[in-house]
Structures are given as structure tokens and as C-alpha cells.
């Protein structure tokens, strides 16, 4: 949701700001006042392509700054975006104070805002999004089927990769057999195991210096526990302090501390005795360990740099030797496994198509119902599903899902992208968004041209549908219809002033200023009758 937006030096705008309502916000003003410049600012904010021609004449650069609260993000301060475009075409993007790319901006922010009205900016016209819209509307049944399909697709791809690997192994086996047999024989002769080298490197120093370790441990124990050693001295000190403790309690405290130290020293002396008994200098064991270490080091130098690399090389060599001698058994097993995975994938694909096929006519009916509310006659939306060749199956499923538009009964349904009228496409988008409701991932919808060629009863219907949509989305509408304007929570008036260097201003209007603007939209003047009708419409909308 867009919390606030500020634009500087964008087309006719020198400095303008808007704080859209969580629900419905309208922008009104006379033709040519500069409403398009504000829409351009929103497009820049969400990662659309920049054009140096958008920079206000005489300015070195334009800047668009906004704060948005994005679904799923917990930051109480929202996401702050700043985008600057120079007159030379160079741009700069910042997200939360750090540099970012336009691609990152579009991925993080652009996916939450739909710009509806100009064909090149409509997500609805991209057939690749139609499956996502159907799935969002259908909910858990399709989501679960899609999850199972994706898992089966991963399994099938993994099985295909394994088969390709086995076949490549078989092709290379003849050429590499001698080398692989030599490598396998040499490594198997040593037969290393994982972690063995590290164990030897830790053990060998103890064996090499066993005599010195034994002497050090025995000597230290003698100094601690031998006659006249540390234990005797500590025991004497404890006895002396305890004998005099009756005259001064402090001596008793020190005696207690020394008694604890005496226990520690006794424990160390005992452990040193055990250690000295365990250490054994064995020249034969030393030679065995040194020989083993040399063998492992030789393998590491030849096939390393690490022992993990050596073990991996042995496994590859074993596979080559096995592939040359198994008579194609590895490939047969891989083919069978791929067949099982493909069968499971086909079953999951059928289940996904069935779940979508069940939901598709219900979504089409829900959208068509909203289209009827918008006075679009007998026009209908159809949701078509076509199974793709196996090679084209992807993450969205095994079939192409596309929304088709039937302008009237008896006419051929055609892809939405072939609809000529921007206003017509906008109203279909509006109907889709109302039908999707809270299932729609887009939080903010910006409508331009949605009221093109609309008047009378259709204008009233359009206003009501937009108001319904604003219950689940943030909606920003550029409109010339008073019926739409009176339904808004916030109403901004766009004006153009100045002759030599025109400037667009943006003003939040309320009270009598809003009454006057609605009256102008109704009749083009501020007559008493128009003002009275404007007040009546605003009061009715609030009621």
C-alpha cells in the first residue's frame, strides 16, 4: 500500500505530494492539468522504465520519493523508496537508504501495484499471469495440487538428469576404462576411510613422542605426590592453619580454600599416574602409523587436494568400471526410474488440470457478473485451459491458462490482449479484481481510462464497483466522472497554472472546495443547481 508519494520536477510537476487513502482515492482536474505526470511518478516508484524526457524543462533531474507498507513485511516505518532520473538519462534507486537496482525495485514493490489503463502496463494482458490469478482465486484445492505437481516435476527432472549422466558415463566408459580401473585399484589398495587422515595426524605425535610424554607425566606426578612434594606441603599448611583457626577465623577460611586445592592436586596426580601408565612407546606401531600416513598423503597428492576428493574420485572410477561391465544394467534401471517418475508427474498434472477446470467456470462467472454490473452488456469472460507438449511443462503447470473476452453473445471469444479499447480492458481488470477480492496479491490498483466513454447508469455502476473494490484494495483512480469522485475517501484536485512555464499542483480538497469540483465535473460550471446536486451526491455517498 502506498502511504505517501512526493514528486519533484516530473513533467509539469515542480513539487507535489499525495497521501492516498487505504481505500478509494480520486484525482480529478481539467484535461491537460497534468494528471498523467502523477501517474508517471507512480510508475517510476514501482520500477517502470524511466525516460529522460520526463524531467521538467530546465531541471537537472527528477526525483520520486515514496513510503509503502508491503504485505508480509513487519517494519513499522514501511519501505522508503527514492528514485532519481537525470536529464542525461542516468538513474539512481534507493530502497530504505541503500542503493538498489530497478530490477530489485520492480520485484519488491512493483508486484504489489497494478497500473491499469495503459496496455503496456497491465498485468491482466500477460497470459502468463492468468494461471496465478486462477490459482489465487481457487484457493487450497489448486494450491495443494500445484504443490504436488511441482514436487513430481522436480522428481522427473532429477530422474532425467540421472539417465543423461548414466548414458554419458556409458559412452565415456570405453575411453576411460583403463584409467578408471587403474585409479580404482590404486585407491582400493590403500582403502582409505572418511576422517582417517585427520585421526592419524592427531594420533601420530603422541606415538612419536611417547617416551617424552611418559617421562613428563611421571615426573610431574612425583613432584606433586612424592615424598616432600606439593601434596605434603599443602597438607602441612592446612594443618597449621586449622590449629590456629581458633584464635582467628580468617585462618580457618584460608585453610578451607587450601583443602579444596589439595583435592584438586590429588585428582591431577591420580590422572597423571593413569596417563603415564597408558602411554607406551612402541617403535613398531610408530612405523605402521607413519607408513599409513605416507600412503594416504600419496593418494591426496595424486587425487586431492583433500581426502574427500580422493573418495569422490574412487566413486567415479567405480561407476565407470561398473558401467563398462554391467551390460547396460545401470541405464535400464535409470530408464525404469524415469518412467515411474514421469507416470507420477502425469498423474499430478491431470489432478492439477482437473482442479483448475473445476474452478475456471466459477471464476469466469464471478468476473462476468461484475462485468454485467459495469453495464458491459452481454460481454463475458472465459477461462481457457490447453494442455502443453510435455517439453513445455513448467512451474505454472502442464497447461496454458488464458482469459478470453467475448464482447457479446454469439461472438468469438478472443484473448484479452487483442481488445482495442483501453477503457474496456480497464473495466475487465476492475471486474477481475473485484471477483478476486482478498485473494489478489496486488495491494494497490491505479486506474486510468477506466471511465473512458462512460456516462449515465454505467457511471453510477462503475462508481459502486470501485467502492466495492476499495474494501479489499487500495484504489487510486484518475476520473472525470462525478459519480466516481463522490465515492472517494480522499479527493485530490490537479491544476495547471502559469503560461510561460506551466506548473501542475496537487491539492487535497474537502468541504466546499470539493463541492465546487464535483459541480464542475457535473456541468462545467458552478451554478447553484450544480452545487446543490454536488452536495446531495456527496451526502448520499457518505450515507
Amino acid at each position: 500500500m502506498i502511504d505517501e508519494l512526493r514528486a519533484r520536477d516530473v513533467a509539469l510537476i515542480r513539487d507535489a505530494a499525495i497521501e492516498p487513502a487505504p481505500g478509494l482515492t480520486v484525482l480529478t482536474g481539467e484535461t491537460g492539468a497534468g494528471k498523467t505526470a502523477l501517474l508517471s511518478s507512480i510508475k517510476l516508484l514501482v520500477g517502470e522504465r524511466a525516460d529522460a524526457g520526463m524531467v521538467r524543462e530546465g531541471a537537472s533531474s527528477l526525483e520520486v520519493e515514496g513510503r509503502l507498507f508491503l504485505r508480509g513485511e513487519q517494519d513499522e516505518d514501511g519501505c522508503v523508496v527514492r528514485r532519481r532520473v537525470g536529464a542525461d538519462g542516468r538513474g539512481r534507486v534507493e530502497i530504505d537508504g541503500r542503493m538498489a537496482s530497478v530490477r530489485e525495485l520492480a520485484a519488491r514493490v512493483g508486484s504489489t501495484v497494478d497500473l491499469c489503463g495503459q496496455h503496456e502496463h497491465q498485468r491482466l494482458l500477460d497470459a502468463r499471469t492468468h494461471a496465478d490469478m486462477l490459482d489465487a482465486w481457487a484457493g487450497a484445492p489448486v494450491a495443494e495440487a500445484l504443490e504436488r505437481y511441482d514436487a513430481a516435476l522436480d522428481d522427473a527432472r532429477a530422474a532425467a538428469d540421472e539417465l543423461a549422466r548414466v548414458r554419458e558415463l556409458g559412452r565415456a566408459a570405453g575411453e576411460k576404462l583403463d584409467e578408471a580401473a587403474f585409479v580404482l585399484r590404486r585407491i582400493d589398495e590403500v582403502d582409505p576411510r572418511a576422517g582417517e587422515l585427520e585421526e592419524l595426524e592427531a594420533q601420530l605425535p603422541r606415538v612419536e613422542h611417547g617416551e617424552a610424554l611418559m617421562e613428563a607425566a611421571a615426573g610431574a606426578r612425583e613432584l606433586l605426590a612424592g615424598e616432600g612434594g606439593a601434596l605434603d606441603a599443602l597438607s602441612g599448611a592446612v594443618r597449621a592453619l586449622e590449629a590456629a583457626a581458633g584464635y582467628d577465623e580468617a585462618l580457618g577460611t584460608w585453610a578451607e580454600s587450601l583443602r579444596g586445592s589439595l583435592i584438586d592436586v590429588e585428582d591431577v596426580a591420580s590422572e597423571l599416574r593413569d596417563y603415564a601408565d597408558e602411554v607406551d612407546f612402541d617403535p613398531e606401531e610408530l612405523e605402521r602409523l607413519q607408513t599409513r600416513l605416507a600412503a594416504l598423503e600419496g593418494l591426496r597428492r595424486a587425487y586431492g587436494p583433500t581426502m574427500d576428493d580422493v573418495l569422490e574420485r574412487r566413486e567415479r572410477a567405480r561407476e565407470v568400471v561398473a558401467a563398462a561391465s554391467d551390460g547396460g544394467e545401470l541405464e535400464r534401471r535409470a530408464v525404469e526410474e524415469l518412467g515411474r517418475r514421469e507416470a507420477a508427474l502425469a498423474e499430478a498434472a491431470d489432478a492439477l488440470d482437473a482442479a483448475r477446470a473445476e474452478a475456471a467456470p466459477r471464476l469466469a462467472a464471478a468476473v462476468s457478473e461484475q462485468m454485467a454490473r459495469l453495464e458491459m452488456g452481454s460481454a463475458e469472460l472465459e477461462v481457457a485451459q490447453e494442455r502443453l507438449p510435455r517439453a513445455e511443462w513448467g512451474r505454472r503447470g502442464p497447461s496454458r491458462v488464458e482469459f478470453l473476452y467475448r464482447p457479446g453473445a454469439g461472438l468469438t471469444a478472443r484473448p484479452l490482449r487483442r481488445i482495442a479499447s483501453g477503457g474496456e480492458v480497464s473495466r475487465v481488470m476492475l471486474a477481475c479484481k473485484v471477483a478476486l477480492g482478498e485473494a489478489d496479491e496486488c495491494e494497490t490498483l491505479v486506474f486510468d481510462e477506466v471511465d473512458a466513454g462512460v456516462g449515465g447508469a454505467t457511471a453510477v455502476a462503475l462508481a459502486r464497483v470501485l467502492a466495492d473494490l476499495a474494501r479489499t484494495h487500495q484504489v487510486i483512480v484518475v476520473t472525470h466522472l462525478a459519480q466516481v469522485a463522490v465515492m472517494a475517501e480522499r479527493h485530490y484536485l490537479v491544476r495547471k497554472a502559469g503560461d510561460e512555464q506551466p506548473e501542475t499542483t496537487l491539492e487535497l480538497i474537502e468541504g466546499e472546495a470539493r463541492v465546487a469540483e464535483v459541480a464542475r465535473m457535473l456541468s462545467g460550471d458552478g451554478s447553484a443547481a450544480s452545487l446543490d446536486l454536488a452536495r446531495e451526491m456527496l451526502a448520499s455517498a457518505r450515507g
Side-chain angles (χ1 to χ4, degrees), residues 254-269:
W254 295 332
E256 188 65 28
S257 298
L258 287 178
R259 188 179 293 107
S261 300
L262 183 62
I263 294 172
D264 291 338
V265 173
E266 287 174 343
D267 290 342
V268 172

Side-chain angles (χ1 to χ4, degrees), residues 304-459:
T306 69
M307 287 306 296
D308 286 340
D309 295 321
V310 174
L311 296 173
E312 183 181 344
R313 182 68 181 275
R314 177 168 66 174
E315 192 59 35
R316 292 202 305 269
R318 181 176 287 128
E319 288 179 348
V320 171
V321 172
S325 59
D326 74 346
E329 182 60 26
L330 278 177
E331 183 173 345
R332 281 195 295 272
R333 287 201 298 266
V335 169
E336 290 172 0
E337 180 63 16
L338 178 58
R340 285 192 292 270
R341 299 295 188 183
E342 283 290 333
L345 175 60
E347 184 178 344
D350 290 342
L352 176 58
D353 277 355
R356 284 174 169 170
E358 189 279 329
R362 294 189 290 111
L363 174 59
V367 175
S368 298
E369 179 182 350
Q370 297 301 324
M371 290 165 60
R373 286 184 62 196
L374 291 168
E375 304 291 336
M376 295 184 71
S378 59
E380 294 178 337
L381 185 82
E382 292 185 8
V383 181
Q385 186 171 222
E386 177 187 358
R387 181 66 73 98
L388 296 168
R390 169 64 185 89
E392 297 180 24
W393 290 13
R395 289 293 173 193
R396 286 190 171 88
S399 300
R400 178 186 295 109
V401 175
E402 185 168 10
F403 293 172
L404 305 179
Y405 177 73
R406 188 187 304 279
L411 298 178
T412 302
R414 297 183 302 162
L416 280 169
R417 62 180 179 275
R418 296 184 185 173
I419 299 174
S421 165
E424 199 168 27
V425 174
S426 293
R427 287 191 286 278
V428 174
M429 168 68 95
L430 176 57
C432 287
K433 293 297 184 180
V434 174
L436 284 172
E438 293 181 353
D440 185 20
E441 293 183 356
C442 282
E443 302 173 55
T444 300
L445 306 175
V446 183
F447 286 95
D448 186 20
E449 294 188 357
V450 72
D451 55 6
V454 170
T458 304

